[in-house]
Amino acid sequence: MNDAEERFVRRYAHLPPDAPLDRHAARALLRRALADREALAEFLLEQCTPALLGEFINRHWNDAISDAPSSAALRLASAVVRALGRIEDTRDWMATLDCFERGIVPAARILRQVCEDINDAR
């Protein structure tokens, strides 16, 4: 589990940063937390990381783009689309759109760029 995943799990489970967390419990909490579209979207809007954004895209993208206007999932999807609009290389942009259409996670460098854009917009 990386640092971002641990921060997400601690936030999801309302655990203080210094509370002990064994690996097995952490993995179980992470699986449950990643399945919670709104919780994951809220976390990513505050501190976007490529690995967790990839999980969001993989698990929740299709539901998020048709979610209620006030949902964190739709706000995150909108932020991702705005960030994708700033991709300057046409090939990268087309390849990323193709990934979304096929339901696969885009390249890590694209996820990093999108996360930087989302984090800078805060």
Side-chain angles (χ1 to χ4, degrees):
M1 177 179 305
N2 64 39
D3 290 341
E5 291 171 338
E6 183 175 336
R7 286 192 310 273
F8 177 51
V9 164
R10 288 182 179 283
R11 178 176 171 181
Y12 183 79
H14 306 288
L15 294 173
D18 57 347
L21 185 64
D22 73 70
R23 291 175 59 101
H24 181 70
R27 284 280 168 214
L29 275 171
L30 180 61
R31 280 191 302 275
R32 190 170 1 145
L34 289 173
D36 186 332
R37 180 174 67 238
E38 279 298 292
L40 182 54
E42 288 171 5
F43 182 83
L44 287 167
L45 285 167
E46 292 177 14
Q47 43 187 314
C48 194
T49 66
L52 290 176
L53 180 59
E55 288 290 338
F56 180 84
I57 291 168
N58 184 45
R59 294 169 181 254
H60 304 296
W61 184 257
N62 289 333
D63 292 330
I65 59 176
S66 61
D67 223 342
S70 62
S71 74
L74 184 59
R75 288 194 319 272
L76 177 60
S78 298
V80 168
V81 170
R82 280 192 303 276
L84 292 176
R86 293 182 186 93
I87 295 175
E88 294 178 6
D89 186 321
T90 305
R91 287 182 303 217
D92 282 348
W93 188 74
M94 294 300 291
T96 302
L97 289 181
D98 183 54
C99 288
F100 276 82
E101 287 175 5
R102 293 181 12 204
I104 59 176
V105 177
R109 65 185 168 73
I110 298 295
L111 292 177
R112 278 191 301 277
Q113 184 178 347
V114 169
C115 284
E116 286 173 13
D117 194 65
I118 290 171
N119 290 332
D120 289 346
R122 285 187 282 117

